[in-house]
Amino acid sequence: MRVLVCGGAGYIGSHTCVALAERGHEVVVVDNFCNSSPVVAERLQRITGRAPDVLRIDIRDAQTLGRVFSGDRFDAVIHFAALKAVGESCEKPLDYFDNNIAGTIALLKAMQAAGVRRLVFSSSATVYGDPASVPIDEDAALSATNPYGRTKLVMEQLIGDVCAADPAWQAISLRYFNPVGAHPSGLIGESPNGIPNNLMPYICQVAVGKRERLQVFGGDWPTVDGTGVRDYIHVMDLAQAHVHALEALDGVQGHLPLNLGVGRGVSVLELVRAFEAASGRTVPYAIVDRRAGDVAAVYADPARAERILGWRAIRDVDDMCRDAWRWQSMNPDGYADG
Ligand SMILES: NC(=O)c1ccc[n+]([C@@H]2O[C@H](COP(=O)([O-])OP(=O)(O)OC[C@H]3O[C@@H](n4cnc5c(N)ncnc54)[C@H](O)[C@@H]3O)[C@@H](O)[C@H]2O)c1
């Protein structure tokens, strides 16, 4: 297939470009690089032997996006392009509504106009808000606990409404749990700007000596060791799920949400210990107060994705830590290293 990958220079998008290329799909990337680096194209070339076409475009620029669709023939779109930092979304909600929601509307309009009606969308477990129970399946109640989560919920709803209005549309929303790790080459990985929002990149930066210690928010949760439990999934498993989703679109009616997780919870301290074993480094940490809005344990029931996509996560926590560490130690400053 010829696939337009919006936000394809980012963390999950770049790994998905590798998985797509390995399956023989042709990729065109659209990205405005607001949270990524053009260096990615050269890294993808080194991994796959072929750099994808990369276009510097903001998906809200309807005219330019329209020209991309009218000048090419795409079989489907994968939509990663969004801002994703929860804390920042609380400070700048309008930026998040504009980028994520207006961006998605512009993309859906451009697809509609070009007659491209197959979409794989990057959603998130954040659409489950504060879940009533775990594991979480796709029928669990949806809610938003912050502006970022609200944008993901609205983006899913927009896609659902477009599919309901026109049965020719086929869309899968992939609700990611906690993506971590990197491509085993160490050439691509997560390269956060400033202070990392997520646990694994923070652990990596402590291990490499860029930050003094990890703050663990809460040591008195009702979990195995008192620290928060999440469902970490290797980014290459996630990338491969996108290929499966793309190839499953033909059989989908309307809008289908699917969880992408391992289905097993791992605590903060379990992850720290696995990382120490994989890296041979010590990760100093301090247990501090819980953060407002956090919950004890979140993990997926991934059975529906397994059934419909014929996909299952196969990499374990040791793989995640080893690959994250290889990326971090080869690129201590992320793509800023060139
Ligand atoms: N990483 C996670 O933990 C996680 C978890 C759940 C869901 N998601 C979702 O997955 C998607 C990808 O996440 P990621 O971790 O790869 O993030 P990322 O920031 O690395 O990638 C997003 C990419 O989209 C680009 N982008 C953003 N707005 C754009 C716009 N208006 N026009 C063009 N390009 C734009 C950015 O430059 C970046 O390259 C996001 O939609 C995010 O909400 C991520």
Side-chain angles (χ1 to χ4, degrees):
M1 286 191 225
R2 190 161 172 82
V3 188
L4 184 71
V5 183
C6 299
Y11 171 45
I12 302 167
S14 57
H15 290 79
T16 301
C17 286
V18 172
L20 289 167
E22 282 171 352
R23 275 284 289 179
H25 296 298
E26 289 173 21
V27 172
V28 176
V29 168
V30 160
D31 204 298
N32 66 358
F33 300 111
C34 68
N35 196 39
S36 53
S37 163
V39 171
V40 163
E42 179 262 329
R43 301 290 179 94
L44 291 175
Q45 155 97 50
R46 281 166 67 186
I47 295 171
T48 66
R50 189 174 161 199
D53 292 337
V54 180
L55 309 172
R56 184 188 286 266
I57 293 171
D58 190 307
I59 58 165
R60 289 167 296 177
D61 177 351
Q63 242 185 354
T64 314
L65 193 62
R67 278 202 292 273
V68 172
F69 277 98
S70 56
D72 213 321
R73 265 202 56 80
F74 297 107
D75 298 296
V77 172
I78 307 183
H79 177 24
F80 295 101
L83 300 175
K84 61 166 186 176
V86 170
E88 186 185 56
S89 80
C90 297
E91 288 155 24
K92 302 175 184 168
L94 290 174
D95 288 359
Y96 273 66
F97 298 151
D98 185 40
N99 193 77
N100 295 2
I101 296 174
T104 299
I105 293 171
L107 176 61
L108 294 173
K109 279 185 168 174
M111 289 176 66
Q112 180 92 281
V116 179
R117 299 189 190 85
R118 280 193 223 147
L119 176 68
V120 176
F121 170 63
S122 290
S123 189
S124 167
T126 192
V127 298
Y128 297 116
D130 186 352
S133 62
V134 285
I136 307 170
D137 70 24
E138 290 83 352
D139 298 326
L142 304 181
S143 70
T145 54
N146 55 67
Y148 164 68
R150 208 165 340 273
T151 68
K152 285 281 141 178
L153 204 49
V154 171
M155 290 153 92
E156 267 203 28
Q157 287 163 343
L158 286 173
I159 294 164
D161 286 345
V162 167
C163 289
D166 178 353
W169 277 81
Q170 294 168 306
I172 297 179
S173 287
L174 297 174
R175 296 176 177 161
Y176 314 152
F177 279 66
N178 295 75
V180 295
H183 188 266
S185 64
L187 289 170
I188 55 173
E190 186 167 14
S191 179
N193 294 328
I195 302 173
N197 293 297
N198 294 333
L199 179 60
M200 183 68 101
Y202 207 107
I203 290 177
C204 285
Q205 292 197 2
V206 172
V208 85
K210 286 181 78 168
R211 303 197 183 270
E212 203 183 328
R213 69 181 67 242
L214 174 72
Q215 288 195 319
V216 179
F217 299 104
D220 55 355
W221 294 103
T223 60
V224 57
D225 55 20
T227 63
V229 162
R230 296 292 179 270
D231 186 341
Y232 297 98
I233 175 167
H234 196 294
V235 67
M236 287 311 301
D237 278 332
L238 205 61
Q240 268 140 12
H242 288 75
V243 178
H244 284 258
L246 188 73
E247 294 173 1
L249 277 174
D250 242 354
V252 168
Q253 279 192 324
H255 174 231
L256 175 70
L258 292 176
N259 286 341
L260 292 185
V262 172
R264 198 174 79 79
V266 173
S267 77
V268 175
L269 293 186
E270 285 172 339
L271 191 67
V272 167
R273 291 203 188 98
F275 190 89
E276 288 181 333
S279 66
R281 299 281 175 110
T282 305
V283 178
Y285 67 86
I287 294 189
V288 299
D289 287 345
R290 294 178 179 187
R291 280 182 305 196
D294 268 357
V295 291
V298 178
Y299 52 95
D301 175 350
R304 191 181 289 178
E306 187 170 343
R307 185 163 43 81
I308 292 177
L309 302 183
W311 164 92
R312 188 161 70 80
I314 53 173
R315 293 161 179 89
D316 64 16
V317 174
D318 296 335
D319 299 323
M320 300 175 204
C321 292
R322 191 194 54 238
D323 292 336
W325 175 241
R326 187 181 298 109
W327 153 255
Q328 180 69 49
S329 45
M330 284 170 64
N331 308 267
D333 294 316
Y335 293 114
D337 297 334

